[in-house]
Protein backbone atom coordinates (compact mmCIF):
# COMPACT_ATOMS: atom_id res chain seq x y z
CA UNK A 1 0.00 0.00 0.00
CA UNK A 2 1.05 3.58 -0.66
CA UNK A 3 0.14 5.07 2.65
CA UNK A 4 0.34 8.72 3.58
CA UNK A 5 3.32 9.54 5.70
CA UNK A 6 2.16 10.59 9.18
CA UNK A 7 1.71 14.34 9.31
CA UNK A 8 1.64 14.82 5.54
CA UNK A 9 -1.49 16.14 3.76
CA UNK A 10 -3.07 14.05 1.04
CA UNK A 11 -1.91 16.24 -1.83
CA UNK A 12 1.70 15.80 -0.63
CA UNK A 13 1.27 12.04 -0.69
CA UNK A 14 -0.33 12.32 -4.11
CA UNK A 15 2.65 14.31 -5.31
CA UNK A 16 5.00 11.59 -4.08
CA UNK A 17 3.02 8.97 -5.99
CA UNK A 18 3.17 11.17 -9.08
CA UNK A 19 6.95 11.33 -8.79
CA UNK A 20 7.26 7.56 -8.45
CA UNK A 21 5.02 7.12 -11.45
CA UNK A 22 7.17 9.51 -13.45
CA UNK A 23 10.26 7.49 -12.56
CA UNK A 24 8.60 4.44 -14.01
CA UNK A 25 8.07 2.33 -10.92
CA UNK A 26 5.20 0.33 -12.27
CA UNK A 27 4.62 -1.70 -9.16
CA UNK A 28 4.02 1.46 -7.18
CA UNK A 29 1.67 2.75 -9.84
CA UNK A 30 -0.37 -0.45 -9.71
CA UNK A 31 -0.48 -0.30 -5.94
CA UNK A 32 -1.61 3.33 -6.09
CA UNK A 33 -4.34 2.40 -8.52
CA UNK A 34 -5.65 -0.41 -6.32
CA UNK A 35 -5.62 1.85 -3.29
CA UNK A 36 -7.21 4.85 -5.04
CA UNK A 37 -10.70 3.69 -4.15
CA UNK A 38 -9.82 4.03 -0.49
CA UNK A 39 -7.88 7.29 -0.89
CA UNK A 40 -10.43 9.24 1.09
CA UNK A 41 -10.10 7.01 4.12
CA UNK A 42 -6.30 6.98 3.97
CA UNK A 43 -5.82 10.72 3.53
CA UNK A 44 -3.62 12.44 6.07
CA UNK A 45 -5.16 13.84 9.22
CA UNK A 46 -4.49 17.34 7.97
CA UNK A 47 -6.95 16.84 5.09
CA UNK A 48 -9.71 14.87 6.73
CA UNK A 49 -9.67 14.76 10.51
CA UNK A 50 -9.37 18.49 11.14
CA UNK A 51 -12.76 19.96 11.97
CA UNK A 52 -14.43 22.81 10.11
CA UNK A 53 -13.65 25.17 13.01
CA UNK A 54 -9.92 24.43 12.85
CA UNK A 55 -9.88 24.88 9.09
CA UNK A 56 -11.83 28.14 9.42
CA UNK A 57 -9.38 29.40 12.05
CA UNK A 58 -6.42 28.72 9.76
CA UNK A 59 -8.17 30.37 6.82
CA UNK A 60 -9.22 33.42 8.86
CA UNK A 61 -5.64 34.04 10.01
CA UNK A 62 -4.39 33.76 6.44
CA UNK A 63 -7.08 36.14 5.18
CA UNK A 64 -6.36 38.77 7.83
CA UNK A 65 -2.63 38.73 7.07
CA UNK A 66 -3.20 39.01 3.32
CA UNK A 67 -5.85 41.76 3.62
CA UNK A 68 -3.51 44.06 5.55
CA UNK A 69 -0.47 43.48 3.31
CA UNK A 70 -2.08 43.96 -0.11
CA UNK A 71 -4.69 46.63 0.72
CA UNK A 72 -2.71 49.53 -0.88
CA UNK A 73 -2.75 47.73 -4.24
CA UNK A 74 -6.47 47.10 -3.83
CA UNK A 75 -7.00 50.84 -3.27
CA UNK A 76 -4.93 51.64 -6.38
CA UNK A 77 -6.87 49.18 -8.52
CA UNK A 78 -10.26 50.47 -7.32
CA UNK A 79 -9.32 54.14 -7.79
CA UNK A 80 -8.11 53.54 -11.36
CA UNK A 81 -11.27 51.61 -12.25
CA UNK A 82 -13.53 54.17 -10.58
CA UNK A 83 -11.76 57.02 -12.41
CA UNK A 84 -12.31 55.23 -15.71
CA UNK A 85 -16.00 54.95 -14.79
CA UNK A 86 -16.22 58.74 -14.41
CA UNK A 87 -15.70 59.23 -10.68
CA UNK A 88 -14.03 62.67 -10.30
CA UNK A 89 -11.03 62.98 -8.01
CA UNK A 90 -11.00 66.74 -7.65
CA UNK A 91 -8.39 68.31 -5.45
CA UNK A 92 -5.48 66.21 -6.65
CA UNK A 93 -3.91 69.28 -8.19
CA UNK A 94 -3.29 70.84 -4.78
CA UNK A 95 -0.12 68.79 -4.62
CA UNK A 96 1.44 70.78 -7.46
CA UNK A 97 0.80 73.97 -5.51
CA UNK A 98 2.08 72.29 -2.38
CA UNK A 99 5.29 71.37 -4.15
CA UNK A 100 5.85 74.68 -5.93
CA UNK A 101 4.62 77.07 -3.26
CA UNK A 102 7.52 77.00 -0.82
CA UNK A 103 6.59 80.33 0.80
CA UNK A 104 2.99 79.38 1.60
CA UNK A 105 3.07 75.58 1.91
CA UNK A 106 -0.20 75.33 3.85
CA UNK A 107 -2.31 76.82 1.09
CA UNK A 108 -4.29 74.36 -1.00
CA UNK A 109 -4.84 74.72 -4.72
CA UNK A 110 -8.45 75.88 -4.72
CA UNK A 111 -9.61 77.82 -7.75
CA UNK A 112 -9.52 81.11 -5.82
CA UNK A 113 -6.04 80.41 -4.44
CA UNK A 114 -4.70 79.59 -7.90
CA UNK A 115 -6.20 82.79 -9.31
CA UNK A 116 -4.74 84.98 -6.55
CA UNK A 117 -1.28 83.43 -6.52
CA UNK A 118 -1.05 82.91 -10.25
CA UNK A 119 -0.50 79.16 -10.11
CA UNK A 120 -3.15 78.32 -12.70
CA UNK A 121 -0.51 77.28 -15.20
CA UNK A 122 1.12 75.06 -12.56
CA UNK A 123 -1.96 72.81 -12.32
CA UNK A 124 -2.38 71.08 -15.68
CA UNK A 125 -5.51 68.94 -16.31
CA UNK A 126 -3.57 65.67 -15.98
CA UNK A 127 -2.61 66.70 -12.44
CA UNK A 128 -6.16 65.92 -11.31
CA UNK A 129 -6.04 62.39 -12.70
CA UNK A 130 -4.36 59.19 -11.60
CA UNK A 131 -1.88 58.06 -14.26
CA UNK A 132 -1.01 54.61 -12.96
CA UNK A 133 -0.52 52.39 -9.93
CA UNK A 134 2.45 54.23 -8.47
CA UNK A 135 0.82 57.57 -9.19
CA UNK A 136 -2.22 56.51 -7.16
CA UNK A 137 -0.05 55.35 -4.27
CA UNK A 138 1.93 58.61 -4.33
CA UNK A 139 -1.05 60.95 -4.58
CA UNK A 140 -3.14 59.12 -2.00
CA UNK A 141 -0.21 59.28 0.43
CA UNK A 142 0.39 63.00 -0.21
CA UNK A 143 -3.26 64.03 -0.17
CA UNK A 144 -4.90 61.67 2.33
CA UNK A 145 -1.93 60.61 4.40
CA UNK A 146 -0.15 57.29 4.62
CA UNK A 147 -3.22 55.77 6.28
CA UNK A 148 -5.16 56.48 3.09
CA UNK A 149 -3.45 53.49 1.47
CA UNK A 150 -5.24 51.32 4.00
CA UNK A 151 -8.64 52.89 3.35
CA UNK A 152 -11.25 50.17 3.68
CA UNK A 153 -8.93 47.80 5.57
CA UNK A 154 -11.53 47.35 8.30
CA UNK A 155 -14.00 46.34 5.61
CA UNK A 156 -11.36 44.10 4.02
CA UNK A 157 -10.81 42.36 7.35
CA UNK A 158 -14.54 42.16 8.05
CA UNK A 159 -14.91 40.62 4.58
CA UNK A 160 -11.81 38.45 4.31
CA UNK A 161 -12.12 36.65 7.65
CA UNK A 162 -15.66 35.25 7.12
CA UNK A 163 -15.29 34.88 3.34
CA UNK A 164 -12.02 32.94 3.40
CA UNK A 165 -13.16 31.23 6.59
CA UNK A 166 -16.03 29.78 4.54
CA UNK A 167 -14.21 29.50 1.21
CA UNK A 168 -11.09 27.43 1.97
CA UNK A 169 -12.64 24.94 4.41
CA UNK A 170 -15.57 24.38 2.03
CA UNK A 171 -13.13 23.94 -0.85
CA UNK A 172 -11.22 21.30 1.15
CA UNK A 173 -14.40 19.45 2.08
CA UNK A 174 -15.96 19.61 -1.40
CA UNK A 175 -12.69 18.56 -3.04
CA UNK A 176 -12.25 15.57 -0.73
CA UNK A 177 -15.82 14.37 -1.25
CA UNK A 178 -15.72 14.89 -5.02
CA UNK A 179 -12.31 13.23 -5.38
CA UNK A 180 -13.55 10.22 -3.46
CA UNK A 181 -16.65 9.99 -5.67
CA UNK A 182 -14.85 10.46 -9.00
CA UNK A 183 -12.04 8.08 -8.04
CA UNK A 184 -14.59 5.36 -7.39
CA UNK A 185 -17.00 6.06 -10.24
CA UNK A 186 -15.43 8.29 -12.92
CA UNK A 187 -11.60 8.53 -12.68
CA UNK A 188 -11.39 10.61 -15.86
CA UNK A 189 -13.25 13.45 -14.11
CA UNK A 190 -10.88 13.63 -11.12
CA UNK A 191 -8.59 16.32 -12.67
CA UNK A 192 -11.60 18.64 -12.90
CA UNK A 193 -12.50 18.34 -9.21
CA UNK A 194 -10.48 21.43 -8.08
CA UNK A 195 -12.21 23.53 -10.74
CA UNK A 196 -15.72 22.52 -9.61
CA UNK A 197 -14.99 22.52 -5.88
CA UNK A 198 -13.37 25.96 -6.04
CA UNK A 199 -16.29 27.43 -8.00
CA UNK A 200 -18.95 26.06 -5.65
CA UNK A 201 -17.08 27.07 -2.49
CA UNK A 202 -16.42 30.58 -3.81
CA UNK A 203 -20.07 31.06 -4.79
CA UNK A 204 -21.22 30.10 -1.30
CA UNK A 205 -18.75 32.47 0.38
CA UNK A 206 -19.49 35.32 -2.05
CA UNK A 207 -23.27 35.28 -1.58
CA UNK A 208 -22.93 35.06 2.21
CA UNK A 209 -20.65 38.10 2.61
CA UNK A 210 -21.46 40.27 -0.40
CA UNK A 211 -22.78 43.43 1.36
CA UNK A 212 -19.40 43.86 3.10
CA UNK A 213 -17.66 43.51 -0.28
CA UNK A 214 -19.93 46.23 -1.65
CA UNK A 215 -19.09 48.52 1.28
CA UNK A 216 -15.35 47.92 0.87
CA UNK A 217 -15.36 48.85 -2.83
CA UNK A 218 -17.27 52.06 -2.19
CA UNK A 219 -15.02 53.00 0.75
CA UNK A 220 -11.94 52.58 -1.43
CA UNK A 221 -13.41 54.32 -4.49
CA UNK A 222 -14.76 57.48 -2.87
CA UNK A 223 -12.54 59.86 -0.94
CA UNK A 224 -13.75 62.12 1.85
CA UNK A 225 -14.06 65.65 0.43
CA UNK A 226 -14.58 67.51 3.72
CA UNK A 227 -11.42 68.20 5.70
CA UNK A 228 -11.42 66.84 9.23
CA UNK A 229 -14.34 64.49 8.59
CA UNK A 230 -13.69 60.85 9.41
CA UNK A 231 -14.28 58.56 6.40
CA UNK A 232 -17.43 56.46 6.59
CA UNK A 233 -17.07 52.94 7.96
CA UNK A 234 -18.79 49.76 6.83
CA UNK A 235 -22.04 50.40 8.71
CA UNK A 236 -22.34 54.04 7.63
CA UNK A 237 -21.55 53.16 4.02
CA UNK A 238 -24.26 50.49 3.90
CA UNK A 239 -26.80 52.75 5.65
CA UNK A 240 -26.04 55.41 3.06
CA UNK A 241 -27.03 52.94 0.37
CA UNK A 242 -30.27 51.92 2.06
CA UNK A 243 -31.57 55.32 3.23
CA UNK A 244 -32.14 56.90 -0.22
CA UNK A 245 -34.53 54.09 -1.20
CA UNK A 246 -36.52 53.87 2.05
CA UNK A 247 -40.27 54.33 1.93
CA UNK A 248 -43.22 54.08 4.33
CA UNK A 249 -44.16 50.71 2.86
CA UNK A 250 -42.56 47.86 4.87
CA UNK A 251 -42.75 45.41 1.97
CA UNK A 252 -41.17 47.96 -0.36
CA UNK A 253 -38.39 48.54 2.17
CA UNK A 254 -37.64 44.82 2.33
CA UNK A 255 -37.47 44.69 -1.46
CA UNK A 256 -35.21 47.72 -1.53
CA UNK A 257 -32.70 45.98 0.71
CA UNK A 258 -31.68 44.04 -2.38
CA UNK A 259 -29.58 47.09 -3.26
CA UNK A 260 -27.08 45.66 -0.76
CA UNK A 261 -26.53 42.89 -3.30
CA UNK A 262 -26.05 45.32 -6.22
CA UNK A 263 -23.47 43.83 -8.55
CA UNK A 264 -23.66 40.33 -7.07
CA UNK A 265 -24.04 38.91 -10.57
CA UNK A 266 -20.85 40.68 -11.65
CA UNK A 267 -19.09 39.49 -8.50
CA UNK A 268 -20.07 35.87 -9.19
CA UNK A 269 -19.21 36.28 -12.87
CA UNK A 270 -15.71 37.34 -11.76
CA UNK A 271 -15.15 35.05 -8.78
CA UNK A 272 -16.37 31.75 -10.24
CA UNK A 273 -13.99 31.83 -13.24
CA UNK A 274 -11.25 33.20 -10.98
CA UNK A 275 -11.61 30.26 -8.59
CA UNK A 276 -11.90 27.75 -11.42
CA UNK A 277 -8.71 29.00 -13.10
CA UNK A 278 -6.89 29.46 -9.81
CA UNK A 279 -7.48 26.01 -8.31
CA UNK A 280 -7.14 24.08 -11.56
CA UNK A 281 -3.73 25.76 -11.98
CA UNK A 282 -2.63 25.70 -8.36
CA UNK A 283 -3.23 22.01 -7.59
CA UNK A 284 -1.01 20.56 -10.37
CA UNK A 285 1.79 23.06 -9.66
CA UNK A 286 2.00 22.40 -5.95
CA UNK A 287 1.74 18.63 -6.43
CA UNK A 288 4.63 18.74 -8.86
CA UNK A 289 6.72 20.94 -6.57
CA UNK A 290 6.08 18.69 -3.61
CA UNK A 291 6.61 15.63 -5.78
CA UNK A 292 10.20 16.75 -6.25
CA UNK A 293 10.66 16.39 -2.50
CA UNK A 294 9.07 12.98 -2.19
CA UNK A 295 7.96 12.12 1.35
CA UNK A 296 10.47 14.52 2.92
CA UNK A 297 7.96 17.35 3.12
CA UNK A 298 8.43 19.79 5.98
CA UNK A 299 6.68 22.97 7.08
CA UNK A 300 9.11 25.08 5.03
CA UNK A 301 8.59 23.01 1.88
CA UNK A 302 4.81 23.12 2.36
CA UNK A 303 5.03 26.90 2.74
CA UNK A 304 7.29 27.36 -0.30
CA UNK A 305 5.39 25.06 -2.64
CA UNK A 306 2.02 26.54 -1.76
CA UNK A 307 3.20 30.14 -1.98
CA UNK A 308 4.80 29.60 -5.42
CA UNK A 309 1.78 27.72 -6.73
CA UNK A 310 -0.62 30.28 -5.29
CA UNK A 311 1.37 33.22 -6.67
CA UNK A 312 1.37 31.82 -10.21
CA UNK A 313 -2.25 30.66 -10.11
CA UNK A 314 -3.52 33.90 -8.57
CA UNK A 315 -1.68 36.08 -11.09
CA UNK A 316 -3.00 34.12 -14.09
CA UNK A 317 -6.57 34.06 -12.76
CA UNK A 318 -6.49 37.79 -11.95
CA UNK A 319 -5.28 38.74 -15.43
CA UNK A 320 -7.87 36.54 -17.15
CA UNK A 321 -10.81 37.91 -15.14
CA UNK A 322 -9.81 41.60 -15.11
CA UNK A 323 -12.67 42.75 -17.43
CA UNK A 324 -15.19 41.16 -15.08
CA UNK A 325 -13.54 42.91 -12.15
CA UNK A 326 -13.85 46.27 -13.94
CA UNK A 327 -17.55 45.59 -14.55
CA UNK A 328 -18.07 44.60 -10.91
CA UNK A 329 -16.41 47.81 -9.67
CA UNK A 330 -18.48 49.98 -12.00
CA UNK A 331 -21.69 48.39 -10.79
CA UNK A 332 -20.76 48.70 -7.15
CA UNK A 333 -19.85 52.41 -7.28
CA UNK A 334 -23.01 53.50 -9.12
CA UNK A 335 -24.59 56.22 -6.94
CA UNK A 336 -28.06 56.22 -8.51
CA UNK A 337 -30.02 53.43 -6.72
CA UNK A 338 -32.54 53.07 -9.53
CA UNK A 339 -29.83 52.76 -12.19
CA UNK A 340 -27.83 50.39 -9.98
CA UNK A 341 -30.76 48.00 -9.78
CA UNK A 342 -31.23 48.11 -13.58
CA UNK A 343 -27.59 47.47 -14.50
CA UNK A 344 -26.46 44.04 -15.70
CA UNK A 345 -22.97 42.64 -16.15
CA UNK A 346 -23.38 42.27 -19.93
CA UNK A 347 -24.62 45.85 -20.38
CA UNK A 348 -21.81 47.13 -18.17
CA UNK A 349 -19.15 45.30 -20.18
CA UNK A 350 -20.57 46.70 -23.43
CA UNK A 351 -20.58 50.19 -21.94
CA UNK A 352 -16.95 49.82 -20.86
CA UNK A 353 -16.03 48.58 -24.34
CA UNK A 354 -17.74 51.57 -25.97
CA UNK A 355 -16.05 54.03 -23.62
CA UNK A 356 -12.52 52.65 -23.54
CA UNK A 357 -12.19 49.60 -25.78
CA UNK A 358 -9.77 46.87 -24.77
CA UNK A 359 -7.79 49.28 -22.59
CA UNK A 360 -10.94 50.08 -20.66
CA UNK A 361 -11.69 46.41 -20.04
CA UNK A 362 -8.24 45.90 -18.51
CA UNK A 363 -8.13 49.09 -16.44
CA UNK A 364 -6.22 48.45 -13.22
CA UNK A 365 -4.77 45.12 -14.37
CA UNK A 366 -1.30 45.89 -12.97
CA UNK A 367 -2.37 46.47 -9.35
CA UNK A 368 -4.93 43.67 -9.63
CA UNK A 369 -2.32 41.11 -10.72
CA UNK A 370 0.21 42.60 -8.30
CA UNK A 371 -2.31 42.15 -5.50
CA UNK A 372 -3.80 38.76 -6.42
CA UNK A 373 -0.54 36.82 -6.85
CA UNK A 374 0.89 37.54 -3.37
CA UNK A 375 -2.58 37.44 -1.81
CA UNK A 376 -3.39 33.94 -3.04
CA UNK A 377 0.14 32.79 -2.24
CA UNK A 378 -0.05 34.13 1.32
CA UNK A 379 -3.53 32.79 2.00
CA UNK A 380 -2.97 29.29 0.63
CA UNK A 381 0.53 28.82 2.10
CA UNK A 382 -0.44 30.16 5.54
CA UNK A 383 -3.59 28.02 5.54
CA UNK A 384 -1.74 24.83 4.62
CA UNK A 385 1.11 25.46 7.09
CA UNK A 386 -1.36 26.03 9.94
CA UNK A 387 -3.18 22.83 8.97
CA UNK A 388 0.17 21.06 8.88
CA UNK A 389 1.04 22.38 12.36
CA UNK A 390 -2.38 21.51 13.76
CA UNK A 391 -2.01 18.02 12.33
CA UNK A 392 1.32 17.50 14.05
CA UNK A 393 -0.08 18.86 17.32
CA UNK A 394 -3.02 16.48 17.15
CA UNK A 395 -0.81 13.63 16.00
CA UNK A 396 1.41 13.91 19.08
CA UNK A 397 -1.49 13.87 21.50
Amino acid sequence: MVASKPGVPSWISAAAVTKLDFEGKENMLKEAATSSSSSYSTRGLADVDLGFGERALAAAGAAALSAVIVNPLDVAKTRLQAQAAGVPYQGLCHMTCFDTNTMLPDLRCSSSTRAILGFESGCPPECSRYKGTFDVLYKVTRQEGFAGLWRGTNASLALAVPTVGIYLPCYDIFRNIMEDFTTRNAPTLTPYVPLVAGSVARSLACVSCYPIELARTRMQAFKETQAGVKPAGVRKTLLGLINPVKSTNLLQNLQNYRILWTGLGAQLARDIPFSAICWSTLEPIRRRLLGMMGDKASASSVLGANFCAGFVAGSLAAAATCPLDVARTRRQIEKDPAKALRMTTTKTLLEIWRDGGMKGLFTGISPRVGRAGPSVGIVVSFYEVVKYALHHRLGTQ
Side-chain angles (χ1 to χ4, degrees), residues 308-323:
C308 292
F311 187 94
V312 173
S315 299
L316 291 175
T321 58
C322 188

Side-chain angles (χ1 to χ4, degrees), residues 123-397:
C123 295
E126 61 269 18
C127 186
S128 61
R129 289 186 61 82
Y130 295 125
K131 291 176 280 189
T133 303
F134 291 106
D135 192 47
V136 176
L137 299 178
Y138 172 74
K139 288 179 177 176
V140 168
T141 302
R142 291 296 304 273
Q143 185 178 6
E144 302 172 46
F146 192 67
L149 295 177
W150 276 267
R151 180 87 185 269
T153 301
N154 57 340
S156 295
L157 291 171
L159 171 70
V161 171
T163 300
V164 180
I166 294 171
Y167 178 34
L168 289 183
C170 286
Y171 169 74
D172 270 355
I173 292 169
F174 293 157
R175 182 198 61 200
N176 291 342
I177 294 173
M178 291 178 186
E179 280 185 349
D180 182 50
F181 178 81
T182 57
T183 300
R184 293 173 184 273
N185 301 284
T188 56
L189 297 179
T190 301
Y192 303 101
V193 165
L195 184 151
V196 178
S199 300
V200 175
R202 186 63 190 178
S203 299
L204 180 61
C206 180
V207 173
S208 303
C209 306
Y210 183 75
I212 304 175
E213 171 72 34
L214 177 63
R216 181 185 69 158
T217 301
R218 295 180 73 88
M219 289 169 67
Q220 292 177 340
F222 301 123
K223 49 175 282 192
E224 184 55 60
T225 56
Q226 299 181 12
V229 177
K230 185 179 179 181
V234 177
R235 181 174 177 274
K236 188 175 179 181
T237 300
L238 293 178
L239 287 176
L241 281 170
I242 298 171
N243 288 335
V245 294
K246 277 192 171 180
S247 70
T248 56
N249 187 311
L250 178 61
L251 181 60
Q252 183 65 34
N253 277 334
L254 291 175
Q255 291 178 342
N256 286 336
Y257 271 91
R258 66 194 174 104
I259 198 170
L260 295 180
W261 276 265
T262 300
L264 176 60
Q267 180 86 11
L268 290 172
R270 182 199 73 171
D271 282 5
I272 291 176
F274 180 93
S275 292
I277 296 169
C278 184
W279 288 111
S280 57
T281 305
L282 187 150
E283 290 285 2
I285 293 176
R286 74 173 173 187
R287 291 192 184 199
R288 173 159 301 218
L289 290 175
L290 286 158
M292 298 175 182
M293 305 168 196
D295 282 339
K296 297 180 180 179
S298 62
S300 59
S301 62
V302 170
L303 175 69
N306 278 278
F307 181 82
C308 292
F311 187 94
V312 173
S315 299
L316 291 175
T321 58
C322 188
L324 296 167
D325 185 62
V326 176
R328 178 207 65 122
T329 300
R330 185 165 294 198
R331 292 191 63 186
Q332 289 180 337
I333 64 175
E334 176 55 53
K335 288 189 172 182
D336 182 355
K339 183 179 178 182
L341 293 173
R342 292 195 307 268
M343 293 173 74
T344 66
T345 303
T346 303
K347 289 180 180 178
T348 305
L349 286 171
L350 290 174
E351 180 182 310
I352 295 168
W353 174 262
R354 284 198 306 269
D355 292 345
M358 188 64 69
K359 183 179 179 180
L361 290 173
F362 286 89
T363 301
I365 187 171
S366 296
R368 174 165 166 77
V369 172
R371 173 198 178 279
S375 178
V376 174
I378 291 169
V379 168
V380 174
S381 58
F382 186 93
Y383 177 63
E384 292 296 343
V385 167
V386 171
K387 283 189 356 182
Y388 185 88
L390 287 173
H391 168 71
H392 276 278
R393 180 180 62 81
L394 294 175
T396 57
Q397 290 178 353

Side-chain angles (χ1 to χ4, degrees), residues 39-118:
S39 61
Y40 184 76
S41 61
T42 60
R43 279 194 180 96
L45 181 64
D47 252 5
V48 177
D49 293 344
L50 288 180
F52 186 90
E54 291 165 320
R55 295 173 189 269
L57 177 64
L65 179 65
S66 173
V68 173
I69 291 175
V70 303
N71 197 79
L73 289 172
D74 210 25
V75 171
K77 177 206 67 140
T78 304
R79 290 282 177 99
L80 289 171
Q81 292 178 349
Q83 178 178 261
V87 174
Y89 289 106
Q90 300 298 331
L92 294 177
C93 64
H94 82 262
M95 285 174 290
T96 301
C97 281
F98 184 90
D99 291 336
T100 58
N101 184 14
T102 57
M103 295 181 63
L104 300 169
D106 292 331
L107 290 178
R108 294 296 182 246
C109 199
S110 63
S111 57
S112 59
T113 303
R114 291 197 304 267
I116 293 172
L117 298 177

